[in-house]
Short mmCIF file of all heavy atoms in Angstrom, two decimals:
data_model
loop_
_atom_site.label_atom_id
_atom_site.label_comp_id
_atom_site.label_asym_id
_atom_site.label_seq_id
_atom_site.Cartn_x
_atom_site.Cartn_y
_atom_site.Cartn_z
N VAL A 1 0.86 -1.18 0.00
CA VAL A 1 0.00 0.00 0.00
C VAL A 1 0.90 1.23 0.00
O VAL A 1 1.81 1.33 0.82
CB VAL A 1 -0.94 0.03 1.23
CG1 VAL A 1 -1.70 1.35 1.28
CG2 VAL A 1 -1.91 -1.15 1.18
N PHE A 2 0.65 2.14 -0.94
CA PHE A 2 1.47 3.35 -1.06
C PHE A 2 0.67 4.58 -0.69
O PHE A 2 -0.43 4.80 -1.22
CB PHE A 2 1.98 3.51 -2.49
CG PHE A 2 3.08 2.55 -2.86
CD1 PHE A 2 2.78 1.28 -3.32
CD2 PHE A 2 4.41 2.91 -2.71
CE1 PHE A 2 3.78 0.40 -3.66
CE2 PHE A 2 5.42 2.03 -3.04
CZ PHE A 2 5.11 0.77 -3.52
N VAL A 3 1.20 5.38 0.22
CA VAL A 3 0.66 6.71 0.49
C VAL A 3 1.37 7.66 -0.48
O VAL A 3 2.59 7.80 -0.45
CB VAL A 3 0.90 7.14 1.94
CG1 VAL A 3 0.41 8.56 2.17
CG2 VAL A 3 0.17 6.18 2.90
N ILE A 4 0.59 8.30 -1.35
CA ILE A 4 1.15 9.07 -2.45
C ILE A 4 1.48 10.50 -2.02
O ILE A 4 0.68 11.17 -1.38
CB ILE A 4 0.16 9.09 -3.63
CG1 ILE A 4 -0.07 7.66 -4.14
CG2 ILE A 4 0.66 9.98 -4.75
CD1 ILE A 4 1.19 6.95 -4.57
N SER A 5 2.67 10.96 -2.41
CA SER A 5 3.10 12.31 -2.06
C SER A 5 3.08 13.26 -3.25
O SER A 5 3.15 14.48 -3.07
CB SER A 5 4.52 12.27 -1.49
OG SER A 5 5.42 11.69 -2.43
N ALA A 6 2.98 12.73 -4.48
CA ALA A 6 2.93 13.58 -5.67
C ALA A 6 2.27 12.80 -6.79
O ALA A 6 2.31 11.57 -6.84
CB ALA A 6 4.34 14.01 -6.09
N ALA A 7 1.64 13.54 -7.71
CA ALA A 7 0.99 12.94 -8.87
C ALA A 7 1.64 13.49 -10.13
O ALA A 7 1.78 14.70 -10.29
CB ALA A 7 -0.51 13.24 -8.86
N VAL A 8 2.03 12.60 -11.03
CA VAL A 8 2.74 12.99 -12.25
C VAL A 8 1.96 12.45 -13.45
O VAL A 8 1.55 11.29 -13.47
CB VAL A 8 4.17 12.43 -12.26
CG1 VAL A 8 4.87 12.77 -13.58
CG2 VAL A 8 4.97 12.97 -11.08
N ASP A 9 1.77 13.29 -14.47
CA ASP A 9 1.08 12.90 -15.70
C ASP A 9 2.13 12.72 -16.79
O ASP A 9 2.69 13.69 -17.31
CB ASP A 9 0.07 13.96 -16.10
CG ASP A 9 -0.84 13.50 -17.23
OD1 ASP A 9 -0.44 12.57 -17.97
OD2 ASP A 9 -1.93 14.07 -17.39
N TYR A 10 2.39 11.47 -17.13
CA TYR A 10 3.42 11.13 -18.12
C TYR A 10 3.07 11.65 -19.51
O TYR A 10 3.95 11.85 -20.35
CB TYR A 10 3.58 9.61 -18.14
CG TYR A 10 4.61 9.08 -19.10
CD1 TYR A 10 5.98 9.25 -18.85
CD2 TYR A 10 4.24 8.37 -20.23
CE1 TYR A 10 6.93 8.75 -19.72
CE2 TYR A 10 5.19 7.85 -21.11
CZ TYR A 10 6.52 8.05 -20.84
OH TYR A 10 7.46 7.54 -21.70
N ASP A 11 1.79 11.87 -19.78
CA ASP A 11 1.38 12.32 -21.11
C ASP A 11 1.76 13.77 -21.38
O ASP A 11 1.80 14.19 -22.55
CB ASP A 11 -0.13 12.17 -21.28
CG ASP A 11 -0.54 10.72 -21.42
OD1 ASP A 11 0.31 9.91 -21.84
OD2 ASP A 11 -1.69 10.39 -21.10
N LEU A 12 2.00 14.55 -20.34
CA LEU A 12 2.32 15.96 -20.53
C LEU A 12 3.81 16.15 -20.80
O LEU A 12 4.59 16.61 -19.97
CB LEU A 12 1.86 16.77 -19.32
CG LEU A 12 0.34 16.78 -19.10
CD1 LEU A 12 -0.03 17.65 -17.90
CD2 LEU A 12 -0.39 17.28 -20.35
N GLY A 13 4.20 15.75 -21.97
CA GLY A 13 5.56 15.86 -22.45
C GLY A 13 5.54 15.50 -23.93
O GLY A 13 4.48 15.46 -24.55
N HIS A 14 6.69 15.21 -24.50
CA HIS A 14 6.75 14.84 -25.91
C HIS A 14 7.23 13.39 -26.04
O HIS A 14 8.28 13.03 -25.50
CB HIS A 14 7.70 15.77 -26.67
CG HIS A 14 7.22 17.18 -26.72
ND1 HIS A 14 6.09 17.57 -27.42
CD2 HIS A 14 7.69 18.31 -26.13
CE1 HIS A 14 5.89 18.86 -27.27
NE2 HIS A 14 6.85 19.35 -26.49
N HIS A 15 6.46 12.58 -26.75
CA HIS A 15 6.81 11.18 -26.99
C HIS A 15 7.35 11.04 -28.41
O HIS A 15 6.82 11.65 -29.35
CB HIS A 15 5.59 10.29 -26.82
CG HIS A 15 4.99 10.35 -25.45
ND1 HIS A 15 5.23 9.39 -24.49
CD2 HIS A 15 4.19 11.27 -24.86
CE1 HIS A 15 4.59 9.71 -23.38
NE2 HIS A 15 3.95 10.84 -23.58
N ALA A 16 8.39 10.24 -28.56
CA ALA A 16 9.01 10.05 -29.87
C ALA A 16 8.96 8.58 -30.26
O ALA A 16 9.11 7.69 -29.42
CB ALA A 16 10.46 10.52 -29.85
N ASP A 17 8.74 8.33 -31.54
CA ASP A 17 8.80 6.98 -32.09
C ASP A 17 10.27 6.70 -32.44
O ASP A 17 10.86 7.42 -33.26
CB ASP A 17 7.93 6.89 -33.35
CG ASP A 17 7.85 5.48 -33.90
OD1 ASP A 17 8.78 4.68 -33.65
OD2 ASP A 17 6.86 5.18 -34.59
N PRO A 18 10.87 5.67 -31.82
CA PRO A 18 12.31 5.40 -32.08
C PRO A 18 12.61 5.22 -33.57
O PRO A 18 13.72 5.53 -34.03
CB PRO A 18 12.57 4.11 -31.31
CG PRO A 18 11.53 4.10 -30.24
CD PRO A 18 10.31 4.75 -30.84
N ARG A 19 11.63 4.75 -34.35
CA ARG A 19 11.86 4.53 -35.78
C ARG A 19 12.02 5.84 -36.54
O ARG A 19 12.53 5.85 -37.66
CB ARG A 19 10.70 3.73 -36.36
CG ARG A 19 10.59 2.31 -35.80
CD ARG A 19 9.28 1.66 -36.19
NE ARG A 19 8.13 2.40 -35.65
CZ ARG A 19 6.86 2.03 -35.82
NH1 ARG A 19 6.58 0.94 -36.51
NH2 ARG A 19 5.88 2.76 -35.30
N GLU A 20 11.58 6.94 -35.94
CA GLU A 20 11.67 8.23 -36.62
C GLU A 20 12.79 9.11 -36.05
O GLU A 20 12.93 10.26 -36.46
CB GLU A 20 10.32 8.96 -36.48
CG GLU A 20 9.16 8.22 -37.14
CD GLU A 20 7.84 8.95 -36.96
OE1 GLU A 20 7.82 9.94 -36.20
OE2 GLU A 20 6.85 8.53 -37.58
N MET A 21 13.56 8.57 -35.13
CA MET A 21 14.62 9.35 -34.50
C MET A 21 15.92 9.18 -35.29
O MET A 21 16.34 8.06 -35.61
CB MET A 21 14.80 8.91 -33.05
CG MET A 21 13.56 9.15 -32.19
SD MET A 21 13.69 8.49 -30.52
CE MET A 21 14.94 9.59 -29.83
N HIS A 22 16.57 10.29 -35.62
CA HIS A 22 17.80 10.25 -36.39
C HIS A 22 18.97 9.71 -35.57
O HIS A 22 19.87 9.07 -36.10
CB HIS A 22 18.14 11.64 -36.93
CG HIS A 22 17.09 12.19 -37.86
ND1 HIS A 22 16.80 11.61 -39.07
CD2 HIS A 22 16.26 13.27 -37.75
CE1 HIS A 22 15.85 12.30 -39.67
NE2 HIS A 22 15.50 13.32 -38.89
N GLN A 23 18.94 9.99 -34.27
CA GLN A 23 19.99 9.49 -33.38
C GLN A 23 19.35 8.53 -32.37
O GLN A 23 18.37 8.87 -31.71
CB GLN A 23 20.67 10.64 -32.64
CG GLN A 23 21.43 11.58 -33.57
CD GLN A 23 22.12 12.69 -32.78
OE1 GLN A 23 21.76 12.98 -31.64
NE2 GLN A 23 23.10 13.31 -33.41
N GLN A 24 19.90 7.33 -32.28
CA GLN A 24 19.36 6.34 -31.37
C GLN A 24 19.66 6.74 -29.91
O GLN A 24 20.77 7.15 -29.58
CB GLN A 24 19.96 4.96 -31.66
CG GLN A 24 19.54 4.40 -33.01
CD GLN A 24 18.02 4.24 -33.10
OE1 GLN A 24 17.40 3.68 -32.20
NE2 GLN A 24 17.43 4.75 -34.17
N THR A 25 18.66 6.64 -29.08
CA THR A 25 18.80 6.96 -27.66
C THR A 25 17.82 6.14 -26.87
O THR A 25 16.79 5.68 -27.40
CB THR A 25 18.54 8.47 -27.41
OG1 THR A 25 18.54 8.70 -25.99
CG2 THR A 25 17.21 8.89 -27.99
N GLU A 26 18.14 5.89 -25.61
CA GLU A 26 17.22 5.15 -24.75
C GLU A 26 16.01 6.00 -24.37
O GLU A 26 14.98 5.48 -23.96
CB GLU A 26 17.94 4.69 -23.48
CG GLU A 26 19.03 3.65 -23.74
CD GLU A 26 19.69 3.19 -22.46
OE1 GLU A 26 19.29 3.69 -21.39
OE2 GLU A 26 20.59 2.34 -22.53
#
């Protein structure tokens, strides 16, 4: 059971498709 101290929305950023990236990165 986790008592939560912060809420983060992962969608509020920029997502990239690795197939469209000119430089490979993790």
Side-chain angles (χ1 to χ4, degrees):
V1 173
F2 286 85
V3 176
I4 298 303
S5 58
V8 177
D9 190 338
Y10 180 72
D11 288 336
L12 296 182
H14 295 293
H15 300 260
D17 186 335
R19 295 169 298 182
E20 298 178 352
M21 298 174 68
H22 298 295
Q23 295 181 340
Q24 293 300 311
T25 173
E26 294 182 0

